[in-house]
Amino acid sequence: MVDQEMKRLVNAGFIEKAQRCRPRLKSSVKAPLRIVAISSKGDTAEIQEKSDGRMLPRYSLGKGESLCLDFGTHYVGYVTLKFNSVGSPQDAPAFLRLKFAEVPGEILDDSGDYHGWISRGWIQEEFIHLDVLPAEVRLPRRYAFRYLEILALDTSKKWKLVVEEAKLSAVSAADPEAVFPFHTQDKLLKDIDRVSVRTLANCMQDVFEDGPKRDRRLWIGDLRLQALANYETFRDYKLVKRCLYLFAGLTRDDGRVGACVFTEPDYIVDDTFFFDYSLFFVPVLYDYYMESGDEDTLKELWPCAKRQIELASQEFGTTHVVREMEANDCFLDWKAGLDKQAGAQAVYIYCVRRGACLARILGCTDEASRLEREAEEKAAAAMKYLWDGTKGMFISGRDRQISYASQVWMVLAEVVKGKEARELLNRLDEEKPEMGMVTPYMNHHYVEALLLCGEEKKALDYIKYYWGGMVEGGADTFWELYNPENREESPYGSRIVNSYCHAWSCTPAFLLRKIEKIF
């Protein structure tokens, strides 16, 4: 939900504490490993190696000629290029196009064909003139990419452009040497974990970004999953703490936590609010305390967490069922046409249960008891009004929609448990309702639901199927959106603005280590 007229509240003390936790980014210099040619082969991009990256100074480009550099894997950072010329003296500027790509297909996409609803400013493409050669160009923008194509749009007939050097200063808040390992002999699972960890690391910047290509800011839905993966890998509690204080310190004037916050040029909460995302402040704080034992932070941020529950409780009627949600009132998933009512009910119960746990930890026994009763009251209402006993599924909205999101979140909220929950997920798997899942975000919650029901083998198989499908498709980092039935799908109108390194897809690093502990 977008609130155009909102008034903002800033807690300067919280922002100061967030500043104290600001990370010092680690930087490492990377050079291209090879020079490649990328061409179209059916619906996929085909890559052919042309030479070793060290051969770079031998390549000259005339008008219309291009060079594609492969840095070997996905990085986030700043690029410096050295150019020269060969032939007659330079009698005209060099006019170049630089295209940065997370996946090979982006090199083939023509940005001129993009007419989607999200800003084309996110397309990683630059046009530059070089009046005098030789020249060293340090590009001011930060890029997220593996491939860099340099196209000479024009030189002159008398000389050619030489690309003498290309280097990248890769940046991340994560220490690659500090990863707690996942042990397996299964090659695919090893690859899934490796790609998962790189996805997380490349999204760990000044904050936990949702995507280093796009949107490059702090979203709380992504943060919740990034933090879980981080606790099992890098264990950077300080960065999670920073993000918690930013959300608590930058709210709407009624105390509501925003869906995301900006950190540049100033700290400011966005005017986008989701029912589920505001509530997720509660489990993010819960998970942080359970991992870190940081009671001081818990005490200080508990009022903010409690306020999210208070505000969300106003969305319920006399039947204790949440109101029907408009598409932009609650996120749950990108799936077009998804009704959000049942999922929102379940998310509320899930978050209230964790709020009750935090209240008990803090010794607020009356508050804890009240929240426990609240969760049970809303769970009973879900069973009374949202459960279809004939179909054996939860329904959502006036059209009584059946979706993966509704069933999964009701399991995670423990509205149904044990055998009943397993049977529900089995029916879901058998019937495969049309309203399926489209993002790694929602697929993560499906796997978590399987694990909550004791279905470790099914969870492992599904991780191999879903995230393994991206690995087998050549992913260096996991994508914002992945539909095994349609790899080109985009909610924005074109894959060219899709994010191919996205925070909410990093969770196999968490899920696999969780399964490892069970076994």
Side-chain angles (χ1 to χ4, degrees), residues 2 34 43 50 111 156 181 187 195 221 275 278 314 317 319 323-324 335 348-349 364 398-399 401 420 432 443 451:
V2 176
R34 57 181 184 159
D43 294 332
K50 294 181 69 175
S111 62
S156 89
K187 183 182 183 306
V195 174
F275 177 87
S278 295
Q314 298 170 12
T319 62
R323 68 171 174 84
E324 291 190 29
K335 184 68 175 176
Y348 179 80
I349 297 165
C364 305
R398 66 191 65 186
D399 294 330
Q401 183 189 87
E420 289 76 16
K432 292 181 171 55
N443 279 272
L451 292 177

Side-chain angles (χ1 to χ4, degrees), residues 164-415:
E164 291 190 327
E165 183 180 65
K167 62 182 179 181
L168 163 71
S169 293
V171 293
S172 171
D175 180 356
E177 304 299 320
V179 178
F180 285 78
F182 165 63
H183 304 95
T184 182
Q185 298 302 312
D186 188 308
K187 183 182 183 306
L188 180 57
L189 290 180
K190 281 183 180 179
D191 288 341
I192 291 171
D193 183 62
R194 171 181 52 78
V195 174
S196 177
V197 169
R198 176 163 287 277
T199 304
L200 175 61
N202 285 1
C203 292
M204 291 172 68
Q205 300 292 332
D206 184 62
V207 292
F208 281 102
E209 293 184 354
D210 68 320
K213 168 186 169 184
R214 205 219 80 241
D215 297 325
R216 297 168 62 159
R217 57 187 185 266
L218 174 62
W219 287 79
I220 199 164
D222 299 81
L223 168 64
R224 178 173 153 265
L225 301 190
Q226 286 170 289
L228 291 173
N230 168 63
Y231 298 144
E232 295 292 338
T233 53
F234 299 106
R235 300 188 181 177
D236 187 342
Y237 302 118
K238 200 172 180 181
L239 190 58
V240 181
K241 181 177 178 178
R242 168 172 166 77
C243 296
L244 278 166
Y245 272 105
L246 285 174
F247 275 114
L250 302 163
T251 65
R252 199 167 65 183
D253 62 346
D254 62 357
R256 190 175 183 191
V257 166
C260 74
V261 297
F262 295 88
T263 57
E264 294 178 319
D266 301 305
Y267 293 124
I268 187 170
V269 62
D270 193 18
D271 53 9
T272 300
F273 294 84
F274 295 136
F275 177 87
D276 49 343
Y277 272 31
S278 295
L279 277 167
F280 281 147
F281 185 85
V282 182
V284 175
L285 181 59
Y286 171 85
D287 293 333
Y288 170 76
Y289 173 76
M290 297 304 290
E291 289 292 333
S292 69
D294 182 354
E295 192 168 343
D296 289 339
T297 296
L298 173 58
K299 287 178 179 177
E300 195 159 39
L301 298 185
W302 165 241
C304 179
K306 185 169 68 170
R307 183 59 178 154
Q308 306 319 303
I309 296 173
E310 292 169 354
L311 290 168
S313 70
Q314 298 170 12
E315 305 294 338
F316 290 81
T318 55
T319 62
H320 301 293
V321 174
V322 73
R323 68 171 174 84
E324 291 190 29
M325 297 275 167
E326 298 295 327
N328 292 329
D329 290 345
C330 182
F331 178 69
L332 295 183
D333 196 15
W334 266 120
K335 184 68 175 176
L338 175 63
D339 190 276
K340 312 292 179 73
Q341 186 183 36
Q345 180 96 7
V347 167
Y348 179 80
I349 297 165
Y350 176 91
C351 294
V352 170
R353 291 193 194 282
R354 279 145 188 79
C357 291
L358 292 179
R360 288 219 175 271
I361 290 166
L362 290 169
C364 305
T365 54
D366 290 346
E367 182 71 18
S369 297
R370 187 189 68 78
L371 290 173
E372 287 162 358
R373 289 193 300 272
E374 172 77 358
E376 294 310 318
E377 186 176 68
K378 297 301 187 285
M383 291 303 301
K384 182 175 181 180
Y385 296 104
L386 301 177
W387 174 256
D388 187 321
T390 303
K391 295 180 179 178
M393 294 273 194
F394 288 95
I395 52 93
S396 185
R398 66 191 65 186
D399 294 330
R400 301 174 64 83
Q401 183 189 87
I402 294 175
S403 69
Y404 273 78
S406 296
Q407 317 316 313
V408 165
W409 271 109
M410 287 295 181
V411 170
L412 291 173
E414 298 181 273
V415 175

Side-chain angles (χ1 to χ4, degrees), residues 84-100:
N84 211 328
S85 64
V86 61
S88 298
Q90 184 186 5
D91 61 346
F95 182 31
L96 311 179
R97 184 196 70 190
L98 308 178
K99 184 183 281 191
F100 298 85

Side-chain angles (χ1 to χ4, degrees), residues 465-494:
Y465 159 72
Y466 189 75
W467 282 270
M470 283 186 266
V471 168
E472 290 168 351
D476 297 300
T477 49
F478 288 129
W479 309 336
E480 172 185 20
L481 185 99
Y482 175 60
N483 181 353
E485 307 298 322
N486 177 16
R487 294 190 177 191
E488 304 303 309
E489 188 168 338
S490 171
Y492 312 115
S494 171

